[in-house]
Amino acid sequence: MSVTEVLRARRSCRSFSSHPLAPQAVDYLVDRARRTPTAGNSQGVEFLVLDTPKTISHYWDTTLAETGREAFSFPGLLRAPLLVVPFGLPDRYLVRYSEPDKVSTGLGKGTENWGVPYWLVDAAFAAMALQMLAIESELSCCFFGLFEHEAAVRERFVVPDGARAVG
């Protein structure tokens, strides 16, 4: 399948089968998405992979705690057998840009020195790659934001505080 065909076939699915994906399929998708380029080869993107009914239920309990599942506009989304949350890790960029070949940029001194937070850009590219790989594998997918639930998801799944989710 070409990139053009993948983009043409891409849809935001909001109603999923609860049929689990084979662990090898999940590993394949995440491993390939992990290979997207990162600024300075910082490798500052990690994935929170929720692939069991228990962990997926914990996710929805965390993000829908206030409104409840009954009030959720897309109940078919709750059946998805896999949730992957890409996180950008700013600390990895600061470490990388403090190394001798990058130190002259000044970007290793703090996140405030970055006009564009590339940990988010790179995580977004990884999220797009993951979606394209899912389509290429004849799976459905949907990208959605965490909005005000990012901190709660980080806490629930023991993700480092500085990590930032793109969706």
Side-chain angles (χ1 to χ4, degrees):
M1 190 177 262
S2 72
V3 173
T4 300
E5 291 168 325
V6 168
L7 291 172
R8 189 176 298 127
R10 195 208 66 75
R11 304 283 184 275
S12 289
C13 180
R14 291 184 179 90
S15 186
F16 291 89
S17 160
S18 60
H19 182 66
L21 279 80
Q24 308 90 300
V26 175
D27 291 346
Y28 172 85
L29 293 169
V30 172
D31 180 60
R32 296 309 182 281
R34 183 183 320 277
R35 296 171 190 263
T36 56
T38 58
N41 199 24
S42 300
Q43 299 301 304
V45 177
E46 293 288 340
F47 298 91
L48 172 63
V49 177
L50 307 173
D51 59 355
T52 67
K54 183 177 179 180
T55 58
I56 292 168
S57 183
H58 288 320
Y59 177 88
W60 294 120
D61 289 346
T62 302
T63 59
L64 298 176
E66 295 167 16
T67 58
R69 293 181 191 208
E70 306 78 36
F72 189 57
S73 299
F74 304 105
L77 190 59
L78 303 177
R79 290 191 305 267
L82 174 68
L83 298 175
V84 180
V85 183
F87 281 93
L89 306 172
D91 289 349
R92 290 194 188 166
Y93 291 79
L94 297 180
V95 168
R96 174 65 181 106
Y97 279 80
S98 294
E99 292 177 7
D101 65 322
K102 300 285 186 193
V103 72
S104 65
T105 66
L107 297 174
K109 294 179 181 176
T111 58
E112 65 281 353
N113 294 317
W114 290 73
V116 174
Y118 271 81
W119 46 92
L120 294 179
V121 172
D122 294 344
F125 279 133
M128 177 58 78
L130 185 59
Q131 290 177 78
M132 292 175 75
L133 288 158
I135 299 302
E136 179 186 58
S137 299
E138 298 182 357
L139 299 170
S140 296
C141 62
C142 178
F143 180 87
F144 57 91
L146 289 176
F147 305 106
E148 69 275 7
H149 304 293
E150 181 182 358
V153 167
R154 277 197 316 261
E155 183 178 328
R156 180 75 180 251
F157 296 100
V158 195
V159 174
D161 282 340
R164 296 298 316 274
V166 294

